[in-house]
Amino acid sequence: MKLVILDRDGTINHERDDYIKSADEWVPLPGALEAIARLNHAGWHVVVATNQSGIGRGLFDMVALNAMHARMNQLLARHGGRVEAVFFCPHTPEDQCTCRKPLPGLFKMIGQRFGVSLAGVPMVGDLPRDVLAAQSVGCEPHLVRTGQAASMSETELIDLRQQVSDLTIHPDLSSFADFLILRDRRAHGEDSPVATHMGELT
């Protein structure tokens, strides 16, 4: 089973300083939905692992969160894509749970749900806590320079690489998808060109 784990806010959709609280506020990043669809078409099962402390803070409820994800899947369907499942942590840092990234709880739930080892499973996010959580369960860590990572300095990136030695950094989710698909094709001896998110062939 080809499984890939994606962060949500800042990776798939725009972030907000005051939290995304409704489906109307859930706005995809350019090219992100197309990237997920390309991964699906290449045989990848896409799941999301996301911290949603807005629930614990009383900013929105489960009805609103479900509406956000219904909108995400409706928009994805237009591109022929889908997310298999969304795993979320509703807690605040003060709750001292085990599922809030960078802790590994969400990832362990994913492994249990799908009955797979997470060793080598690609995971991508826009925050150090995403890649630290990925590393803690043996996932292959990837960072996209969208969301909060867009403002990370070179010094911060160097520090993160020292903590996560096998980290791969991409401009955005489209570039990550292209990287994964092309690497998979090459691993299977397929040398045919791959259409990337810019429409060119590589």
Side-chain angles (χ1 to χ4, degrees):
M1 180 180 183
K2 297 195 320 187
L3 182 68
V4 59
I5 303 171
L6 275 54
D7 172 51
R8 200 194 79 171
D9 302 335
T11 301
I12 302 173
N13 57 279
H14 289 280
E15 289 190 279
R16 291 172 59 108
D17 291 337
D18 60 346
Y19 297 85
I20 297 163
K21 302 175 291 298
S22 68
D24 289 341
E25 293 179 352
W26 195 93
V27 180
L29 286 163
L33 300 182
E34 295 89 337
I36 293 172
R38 287 202 306 280
L39 287 168
N40 292 151
H41 297 161
W44 292 89
H45 297 267
V46 177
V47 300
V48 169
T50 177
N51 288 352
Q52 292 297 321
S53 67
I55 294 176
R57 299 175 197 274
L59 299 175
F60 56 88
D61 58 17
M62 281 299 305
V63 173
L65 186 66
N66 288 335
M68 293 177 211
H69 296 149
R71 172 174 167 79
M72 176 178 70
N73 276 312
Q74 287 167 359
L75 294 175
L76 267 171
R78 298 176 187 176
H79 300 281
R82 68 189 296 258
V83 165
E84 301 277 340
V86 178
F87 295 78
F88 66 93
C89 169
H91 306 109
T92 67
E94 293 73 28
D95 291 327
Q96 298 184 339
C97 66
T98 60
C99 53
R100 181 176 168 82
K101 293 180 290 184
L103 295 174
L106 287 181
F107 294 86
K108 290 181 178 179
M109 285 185 240
I110 292 170
Q112 291 168 359
R113 169 79 69 84
F114 289 92
V116 297
S117 167
L118 296 181
V121 170
M123 190 278 162
V124 62
D126 72 309
L127 284 169
R129 69 186 180 201
D130 295 318
V131 296
L132 289 169
Q135 178 181 247
S136 73
V137 294
C139 286
E140 178 185 280
H142 295 261
L143 184 79
V144 284
R145 296 296 306 274
T146 51
Q148 295 188 41
S151 60
M152 289 180 69
S153 67
E154 286 303 314
T155 300
E156 289 172 321
L157 290 173
I158 290 170
D159 289 344
L160 184 59
R161 282 189 183 278
Q162 289 176 344
Q163 295 178 71
V164 187
S165 59
D166 56 344
L167 179 65
T168 304
I169 300 176
H170 310 270
D172 53 27
L173 192 59
S174 287
S175 298
F176 166 76
D178 292 340
F179 169 87
L180 213 58
I181 293 167
L182 182 58
R183 186 181 67 179
D184 194 50
R185 280 175 170 262
R186 287 173 173 167
H188 290 86
E190 299 177 27
D191 295 323
S192 56
V194 178
T196 71
H197 68 285
M198 296 299 291
E200 69 268 14
L201 296 177
T202 58

mmCIF file of all heavy atoms in Angstrom, residues 28-70:
data_model
loop_
_atom_site.group_PDB
_atom_site.id
_atom_site.type_symbol
_atom_site.label_atom_id
_atom_site.label_comp_id
_atom_site.label_asym_id
_atom_site.label_seq_id
_atom_site.Cartn_x
_atom_site.Cartn_y
_atom_site.Cartn_z
ATOM 1 N N PRO A 28 -8.045 26.543 -0.429
ATOM 2 C CA PRO A 28 -6.861 25.755 -0.813
ATOM 3 C C PRO A 28 -5.738 26.628 -1.348
ATOM 4 O O PRO A 28 -5.980 27.677 -1.959
ATOM 5 C CB PRO A 28 -7.403 24.826 -1.907
ATOM 6 C CG PRO A 28 -8.602 25.527 -2.462
ATOM 7 C CD PRO A 28 -9.202 26.280 -1.312
ATOM 8 N N LEU A 29 -4.517 26.196 -1.119
ATOM 9 C CA LEU A 29 -3.353 26.849 -1.702
ATOM 10 C C LEU A 29 -3.310 26.550 -3.199
ATOM 11 O O LEU A 29 -3.783 25.494 -3.640
ATOM 12 C CB LEU A 29 -2.079 26.342 -1.035
ATOM 13 C CG LEU A 29 -1.815 26.849 0.385
ATOM 14 C CD1 LEU A 29 -0.784 25.971 1.083
ATOM 15 C CD2 LEU A 29 -1.348 28.296 0.350
ATOM 16 N N PRO A 30 -2.750 27.452 -3.990
ATOM 17 C CA PRO A 30 -2.678 27.215 -5.438
ATOM 18 C C PRO A 30 -1.974 25.895 -5.763
ATOM 19 O O PRO A 30 -0.873 25.627 -5.275
ATOM 20 C CB PRO A 30 -1.859 28.416 -5.937
ATOM 21 C CG PRO A 30 -2.082 29.482 -4.922
ATOM 22 C CD PRO A 30 -2.204 28.761 -3.610
ATOM 23 N N GLY A 31 -2.633 25.085 -6.562
ATOM 24 C CA GLY A 31 -2.046 23.827 -7.019
ATOM 25 C C GLY A 31 -2.114 22.672 -6.047
ATOM 26 O O GLY A 31 -1.771 21.537 -6.404
ATOM 27 N N ALA A 32 -2.576 22.912 -4.817
ATOM 28 C CA ALA A 32 -2.540 21.851 -3.804
ATOM 29 C C ALA A 32 -3.525 20.727 -4.111
ATOM 30 O O ALA A 32 -3.198 19.542 -3.964
ATOM 31 C CB ALA A 32 -2.813 22.438 -2.426
ATOM 32 N N LEU A 33 -4.738 21.072 -4.524
ATOM 33 C CA LEU A 33 -5.728 20.036 -4.799
ATOM 34 C C LEU A 33 -5.318 19.206 -6.015
ATOM 35 O O LEU A 33 -5.483 17.978 -6.030
ATOM 36 C CB LEU A 33 -7.106 20.671 -5.023
ATOM 37 C CG LEU A 33 -7.654 21.480 -3.841
ATOM 38 C CD1 LEU A 33 -9.039 22.021 -4.166
ATOM 39 C CD2 LEU A 33 -7.702 20.629 -2.575
ATOM 40 N N GLU A 34 -4.772 19.873 -7.013
ATOM 41 C CA GLU A 34 -4.288 19.158 -8.189
ATOM 42 C C GLU A 34 -3.155 18.206 -7.813
ATOM 43 O O GLU A 34 -3.046 17.099 -8.357
ATOM 44 C CB GLU A 34 -3.813 20.143 -9.263
ATOM 45 C CG GLU A 34 -4.920 21.026 -9.839
ATOM 46 C CD GLU A 34 -5.120 22.330 -9.070
ATOM 47 O OE1 GLU A 34 -4.754 22.402 -7.863
ATOM 48 O OE2 GLU A 34 -5.648 23.283 -9.668
ATOM 49 N N ALA A 35 -2.317 18.634 -6.859
ATOM 50 C CA ALA A 35 -1.202 17.795 -6.417
ATOM 51 C C ALA A 35 -1.717 16.522 -5.749
ATOM 52 O O ALA A 35 -1.203 15.421 -5.999
ATOM 53 C CB ALA A 35 -0.317 18.574 -5.452
ATOM 54 N N ILE A 36 -2.730 16.658 -4.910
ATOM 55 C CA ILE A 36 -3.312 15.479 -4.259
ATOM 56 C C ILE A 36 -3.920 14.541 -5.298
ATOM 57 O O ILE A 36 -3.765 13.319 -5.229
ATOM 58 C CB ILE A 36 -4.361 15.904 -3.212
ATOM 59 C CG1 ILE A 36 -3.676 16.632 -2.049
ATOM 60 C CG2 ILE A 36 -5.132 14.685 -2.690
ATOM 61 C CD1 ILE A 36 -4.635 17.246 -1.059
ATOM 62 N N ALA A 37 -4.612 15.116 -6.280
ATOM 63 C CA ALA A 37 -5.209 14.291 -7.332
ATOM 64 C C ALA A 37 -4.137 13.543 -8.111
ATOM 65 O O ALA A 37 -4.315 12.357 -8.453
ATOM 66 C CB ALA A 37 -6.041 15.169 -8.270
ATOM 67 N N ARG A 38 -3.008 14.187 -8.387
ATOM 68 C CA ARG A 38 -1.923 13.509 -9.107
ATOM 69 C C ARG A 38 -1.375 12.351 -8.275
ATOM 70 O O ARG A 38 -1.058 11.286 -8.813
ATOM 71 C CB ARG A 38 -0.795 14.496 -9.451
ATOM 72 C CG ARG A 38 -1.147 15.468 -10.550
ATOM 73 C CD ARG A 38 0.089 16.040 -11.236
ATOM 74 N NE ARG A 38 1.034 16.638 -10.302
ATOM 75 C CZ ARG A 38 0.909 17.868 -9.770
ATOM 76 N NH1 ARG A 38 -0.165 18.592 -10.054
ATOM 77 N NH2 ARG A 38 1.838 18.345 -8.975
ATOM 78 N N LEU A 39 -1.246 12.565 -6.978
ATOM 79 C CA LEU A 39 -0.794 11.478 -6.113
ATOM 80 C C LEU A 39 -1.785 10.315 -6.154
ATOM 81 O O LEU A 39 -1.387 9.146 -6.272
ATOM 82 C CB LEU A 39 -0.633 11.984 -4.677
ATOM 83 C CG LEU A 39 0.571 12.884 -4.415
ATOM 84 C CD1 LEU A 39 0.457 13.553 -3.042
ATOM 85 C CD2 LEU A 39 1.876 12.096 -4.503
ATOM 86 N N ASN A 40 -3.079 10.623 -6.071
ATOM 87 C CA ASN A 40 -4.103 9.586 -6.166
ATOM 88 C C ASN A 40 -3.982 8.816 -7.475
ATOM 89 O O ASN A 40 -4.013 7.570 -7.484
ATOM 90 C CB ASN A 40 -5.497 10.194 -6.091
ATOM 91 C CG ASN A 40 -5.857 10.786 -4.741
ATOM 92 O OD1 ASN A 40 -6.642 11.716 -4.663
ATOM 93 N ND2 ASN A 40 -5.299 10.265 -3.657
ATOM 94 N N HIS A 41 -3.854 9.529 -8.564
ATOM 95 C CA HIS A 41 -3.805 8.891 -9.883
ATOM 96 C C HIS A 41 -2.563 8.021 -10.043
ATOM 97 O O HIS A 41 -2.551 7.083 -10.840
ATOM 98 C CB HIS A 41 -3.857 9.951 -10.981
ATOM 99 C CG HIS A 41 -5.137 10.734 -10.981
ATOM 100 N ND1 HIS A 41 -5.265 11.963 -11.604
ATOM 101 C CD2 HIS A 41 -6.335 10.485 -10.407
ATOM 102 C CE1 HIS A 41 -6.489 12.417 -11.409
ATOM 103 N NE2 HIS A 41 -7.152 11.542 -10.690
ATOM 104 N N ALA A 42 -1.520 8.338 -9.265
ATOM 105 C CA ALA A 42 -0.287 7.549 -9.306
ATOM 106 C C ALA A 42 -0.324 6.393 -8.304
ATOM 107 O O ALA A 42 0.673 5.694 -8.114
ATOM 108 C CB ALA A 42 0.917 8.439 -9.029
ATOM 109 N N GLY A 43 -1.493 6.198 -7.661
ATOM 110 C CA GLY A 43 -1.665 5.046 -6.781
ATOM 111 C C GLY A 43 -1.435 5.295 -5.307
ATOM 112 O O GLY A 43 -1.427 4.347 -4.513
ATOM 113 N N TRP A 44 -1.287 6.555 -4.921
ATOM 114 C CA TRP A 44 -1.044 6.868 -3.513
ATOM 115 C C TRP A 44 -2.360 7.064 -2.760
ATOM 116 O O TRP A 44 -3.284 7.711 -3.249
ATOM 117 C CB TRP A 44 -0.199 8.139 -3.386
ATOM 118 C CG TRP A 44 1.199 7.964 -3.884
ATOM 119 C CD1 TRP A 44 1.645 8.166 -5.164
ATOM 120 C CD2 TRP A 44 2.337 7.542 -3.134
ATOM 121 N NE1 TRP A 44 2.979 7.884 -5.248
ATOM 122 C CE2 TRP A 44 3.432 7.504 -4.016
ATOM 123 C CE3 TRP A 44 2.525 7.190 -1.797
ATOM 124 C CZ2 TRP A 44 4.713 7.129 -3.608
ATOM 125 C CZ3 TRP A 44 3.787 6.825 -1.387
ATOM 126 C CH2 TRP A 44 4.871 6.794 -2.277
ATOM 127 N N HIS A 45 -2.420 6.522 -1.551
ATOM 128 C CA HIS A 45 -3.534 6.760 -0.642
ATOM 129 C C HIS A 45 -3.142 7.934 0.258
ATOM 130 O O HIS A 45 -2.128 7.867 0.972
ATOM 131 C CB HIS A 45 -3.814 5.517 0.206
ATOM 132 C CG HIS A 45 -4.247 4.331 -0.594
ATOM 133 N ND1 HIS A 45 -5.576 4.028 -0.832
ATOM 134 C CD2 HIS A 45 -3.524 3.387 -1.239
ATOM 135 C CE1 HIS A 45 -5.659 2.937 -1.566
ATOM 136 N NE2 HIS A 45 -4.431 2.532 -1.832
ATOM 137 N N VAL A 46 -3.911 8.994 0.208
ATOM 138 C CA VAL A 46 -3.578 10.233 0.915
ATOM 139 C C VAL A 46 -4.405 10.346 2.191
ATOM 140 O O VAL A 46 -5.635 10.228 2.155
ATOM 141 C CB VAL A 46 -3.834 11.463 0.015
ATOM 142 C CG1 VAL A 46 -3.568 12.761 0.777
ATOM 143 C CG2 VAL A 46 -2.972 11.391 -1.244
ATOM 144 N N VAL A 47 -3.729 10.565 3.312
ATOM 145 C CA VAL A 47 -4.415 10.844 4.565
ATOM 146 C C VAL A 47 -3.859 12.141 5.145
ATOM 147 O O VAL A 47 -2.744 12.550 4.818
ATOM 148 C CB VAL A 47 -4.284 9.690 5.596
ATOM 149 C CG1 VAL A 47 -4.880 8.411 5.052
ATOM 150 C CG2 VAL A 47 -2.836 9.489 6.002
ATOM 151 N N VAL A 48 -4.638 12.769 5.995
ATOM 152 C CA VAL A 48 -4.259 14.042 6.597
ATOM 153 C C VAL A 48 -4.099 13.857 8.101
ATOM 154 O O VAL A 48 -4.912 13.177 8.747
ATOM 155 C CB VAL A 48 -5.319 15.122 6.297
ATOM 156 C CG1 VAL A 48 -5.082 16.384 7.130
ATOM 157 C CG2 VAL A 48 -5.308 15.469 4.812
ATOM 158 N N ALA A 49 -3.054 14.464 8.662
ATOM 159 C CA ALA A 49 -2.838 14.503 10.111
ATOM 160 C C ALA A 49 -2.705 15.967 10.513
ATOM 161 O O ALA A 49 -1.770 16.648 10.074
ATOM 162 C CB ALA A 49 -1.587 13.719 10.499
ATOM 163 N N THR A 50 -3.640 16.457 11.329
ATOM 164 C CA THR A 50 -3.688 17.892 11.588
ATOM 165 C C THR A 50 -4.022 18.214 13.042
ATOM 166 O O THR A 50 -4.888 17.580 13.641
ATOM 167 C CB THR A 50 -4.725 18.564 10.649
ATOM 168 O OG1 THR A 50 -4.826 19.958 10.961
ATOM 169 C CG2 THR A 50 -6.092 17.934 10.754
ATOM 170 N N ASN A 51 -3.314 19.190 13.593
ATOM 171 C CA ASN A 51 -3.669 19.741 14.901
ATOM 172 C C ASN A 51 -4.819 20.722 14.711
ATOM 173 O O ASN A 51 -4.720 21.627 13.874
ATOM 174 C CB ASN A 51 -2.490 20.492 15.524
ATOM 175 C CG ASN A 51 -1.382 19.575 16.006
ATOM 176 O OD1 ASN A 51 -1.525 18.358 16.026
ATOM 177 N ND2 ASN A 51 -0.273 20.157 16.422
ATOM 178 N N GLN A 52 -5.878 20.568 15.467
ATOM 179 C CA GLN A 52 -7.023 21.471 15.383
ATOM 180 C C GLN A 52 -7.425 21.914 16.787
ATOM 181 O O GLN A 52 -8.502 21.591 17.295
ATOM 182 C CB GLN A 52 -8.185 20.792 14.651
ATOM 183 C CG GLN A 52 -7.933 20.550 13.176
ATOM 184 C CD GLN A 52 -7.742 21.853 12.406
ATOM 185 O OE1 GLN A 52 -8.411 22.853 12.660
ATOM 186 N NE2 GLN A 52 -6.805 21.840 11.458
ATOM 187 N N SER A 53 -6.532 22.672 17.420
ATOM 188 C CA SER A 53 -6.784 23.101 18.797
ATOM 189 C C SER A 53 -7.902 24.125 18.894
ATOM 190 O O SER A 53 -8.358 24.440 19.994
ATOM 191 C CB SER A 53 -5.510 23.687 19.414
ATOM 192 O OG SER A 53 -5.152 24.905 18.775
ATOM 193 N N GLY A 54 -8.369 24.639 17.750
ATOM 194 C CA GLY A 54 -9.515 25.548 17.768
ATOM 195 C C GLY A 54 -10.737 24.908 18.402
ATOM 196 O O GLY A 54 -11.577 25.601 18.991
ATOM 197 N N ILE A 55 -10.831 23.581 18.312
ATOM 198 C CA ILE A 55 -11.933 22.879 18.981
ATOM 199 C C ILE A 55 -11.776 23.000 20.493
ATOM 200 O O ILE A 55 -12.699 23.398 21.208
ATOM 201 C CB ILE A 55 -11.985 21.398 18.547
ATOM 202 C CG1 ILE A 55 -12.355 21.298 17.063
ATOM 203 C CG2 ILE A 55 -12.982 20.626 19.389
ATOM 204 C CD1 ILE A 55 -12.346 19.886 16.521
ATOM 205 N N GLY A 56 -10.590 22.668 20.980
ATOM 206 C CA GLY A 56 -10.336 22.754 22.408
ATOM 207 C C GLY A 56 -10.405 24.173 22.952
ATOM 208 O O GLY A 56 -10.712 24.376 24.133
ATOM 209 N N ARG A 57 -10.157 25.141 22.076
ATOM 210 C CA ARG A 57 -10.219 26.548 22.497
ATOM 211 C C ARG A 57 -11.642 27.114 22.406
ATOM 212 O O ARG A 57 -11.875 28.268 22.755
ATOM 213 C CB ARG A 57 -9.275 27.396 21.634
ATOM 214 C CG ARG A 57 -7.821 26.986 21.729
ATOM 215 C CD ARG A 57 -6.945 27.772 20.758
ATOM 216 N NE ARG A 57 -5.659 27.142 20.543
ATOM 217 C CZ ARG A 57 -4.585 27.327 21.308
ATOM 218 N NH1 ARG A 57 -4.667 28.143 22.347
ATOM 219 N NH2 ARG A 57 -3.448 26.708 21.042
ATOM 220 N N GLY A 58 -12.575 26.302 21.893
ATOM 221 C CA GLY A 58 -13.956 26.735 21.784
ATOM 222 C C GLY A 58 -14.236 27.672 20.623
ATOM 223 O O GLY A 58 -15.258 28.353 20.590
ATOM 224 N N LEU A 59 -13.347 27.677 19.622
ATOM 225 C CA LEU A 59 -13.508 28.580 18.478
ATOM 226 C C LEU A 59 -14.430 28.003 17.408
ATOM 227 O O LEU A 59 -15.018 28.739 16.623
ATOM 228 C CB LEU A 59 -12.141 28.905 17.865
ATOM 229 C CG LEU A 59 -11.154 29.602 18.808
ATOM 230 C CD1 LEU A 59 -9.800 29.757 18.136
ATOM 231 C CD2 LEU A 59 -11.697 30.970 19.230
ATOM 232 N N PHE A 60 -14.513 26.680 17.331
ATOM 233 C CA PHE A 60 -15.444 26.008 16.424
ATOM 234 C C PHE A 60 -15.700 24.621 16.970
ATOM 235 O O PHE A 60 -15.022 24.167 17.902
ATOM 236 C CB PHE A 60 -14.913 25.974 14.983
ATOM 237 C CG PHE A 60 -13.548 25.349 14.827
ATOM 238 C CD1 PHE A 60 -13.404 23.985 14.631
ATOM 239 C CD2 PHE A 60 -12.404 26.134 14.860
ATOM 240 C CE1 PHE A 60 -12.151 23.401 14.477
ATOM 241 C CE2 PHE A 60 -11.144 25.561 14.713
ATOM 242 C CZ PHE A 60 -11.012 24.207 14.520
ATOM 243 N N ASP A 61 -16.703 23.943 16.409
ATOM 244 C CA ASP A 61 -17.067 22.619 16.908
ATOM 245 C C ASP A 61 -16.875 21.557 15.834
ATOM 246 O O ASP A 61 -16.401 21.840 14.732
ATOM 247 C CB ASP A 61 -18.508 22.629 17.428
ATOM 248 C CG ASP A 61 -19.521 23.055 16.360
ATOM 249 O OD1 ASP A 61 -19.184 23.030 15.150
ATOM 250 O OD2 ASP A 61 -20.655 23.419 16.734
ATOM 251 N N MET A 62 -17.261 20.329 16.156
ATOM 252 C CA MET A 62 -17.075 19.223 15.224
ATOM 253 C C MET A 62 -17.902 19.384 13.967
ATOM 254 O O MET A 62 -17.500 18.953 12.888
ATOM 255 C CB MET A 62 -17.429 17.900 15.916
ATOM 256 C CG MET A 62 -16.343 17.364 16.826
ATOM 257 S SD MET A 62 -14.811 17.033 15.935
ATOM 258 C CE MET A 62 -15.390 15.944 14.638
ATOM 259 N N VAL A 63 -19.069 19.999 14.094
ATOM 260 C CA VAL A 63 -19.901 20.238 12.908
ATOM 261 C C VAL A 63 -19.149 21.119 11.918
ATOM 262 O O VAL A 63 -19.121 20.856 10.706
ATOM 263 C CB VAL A 63 -21.244 20.885 13.310
ATOM 264 C CG1 VAL A 63 -22.033 21.289 12.067
ATOM 265 C CG2 VAL A 63 -22.062 19.922 14.162
ATOM 266 N N ALA A 64 -18.505 22.175 12.434
ATOM 267 C CA ALA A 64 -17.744 23.084 11.569
ATOM 268 C C ALA A 64 -16.535 22.368 10.961
ATOM 269 O O ALA A 64 -16.229 22.551 9.772
ATOM 270 C CB ALA A 64 -17.302 24.310 12.361
ATOM 271 N N LEU A 65 -15.841 21.560 11.773
ATOM 272 C CA LEU A 65 -14.675 20.845 11.252
ATOM 273 C C LEU A 65 -15.081 19.867 10.156
ATOM 274 O O LEU A 65 -14.425 19.781 9.111
ATOM 275 C CB LEU A 65 -13.968 20.108 12.388
ATOM 276 C CG LEU A 65 -12.658 19.428 12.003
ATOM 277 C CD1 LEU A 65 -11.596 20.453 11.621
ATOM 278 C CD2 LEU A 65 -12.149 18.536 13.139
ATOM 279 N N ASN A 66 -16.165 19.141 10.367
ATOM 280 C CA ASN A 66 -16.646 18.218 9.335
ATOM 281 C C ASN A 66 -17.039 18.956 8.067
ATOM 282 O O ASN A 66 -16.828 18.449 6.954
ATOM 283 C CB ASN A 66 -17.835 17.414 9.868
ATOM 284 C CG ASN A 66 -17.427 16.380 10.898
ATOM 285 O OD1 ASN A 66 -16.285 15.919 10.919
ATOM 286 N ND2 ASN A 66 -18.353 15.995 11.780
ATOM 287 N N ALA A 67 -17.597 20.150 8.219
ATOM 288 C CA ALA A 67 -17.972 20.947 7.050
ATOM 289 C C ALA A 67 -16.733 21.378 6.271
ATOM 290 O O ALA A 67 -16.738 21.406 5.025
ATOM 291 C CB ALA A 67 -18.784 22.168 7.480
ATOM 292 N N MET A 68 -15.652 21.719 6.981
ATOM 293 C CA MET A 68 -14.394 22.081 6.307
ATOM 294 C C MET A 68 -13.896 20.920 5.456
ATOM 295 O O MET A 68 -13.493 21.095 4.300
ATOM 296 C CB MET A 68 -13.322 22.431 7.342
ATOM 297 C CG MET A 68 -13.560 23.666 8.152
ATOM 298 S SD MET A 68 -12.220 23.844 9.390
ATOM 299 C CE MET A 68 -13.109 24.675 10.719
ATOM 300 N N HIS A 69 -13.935 19.727 6.034
ATOM 301 C CA HIS A 69 -13.396 18.574 5.314
ATOM 302 C C HIS A 69 -14.334 18.108 4.203
ATOM 303 O O HIS A 69 -13.875 17.562 3.193
ATOM 304 C CB HIS A 69 -13.068 17.463 6.304
ATOM 305 C CG HIS A 69 -11.982 17.859 7.260
ATOM 306 N ND1 HIS A 69 -11.899 17.395 8.549
ATOM 307 C CD2 HIS A 69 -10.948 18.724 7.103
ATOM 308 C CE1 HIS A 69 -10.846 17.944 9.140
ATOM 309 N NE2 HIS A 69 -10.259 18.755 8.292
ATOM 310 N N ALA A 70 -15.619 18.345 4.377
ATOM 311 C CA ALA A 70 -16.552 18.069 3.274
ATOM 312 C C ALA A 70 -16.248 18.992 2.101
ATOM 313 O O ALA A 70 -16.247 18.562 0.938
ATOM 314 C CB ALA A 70 -17.986 18.264 3.742
#
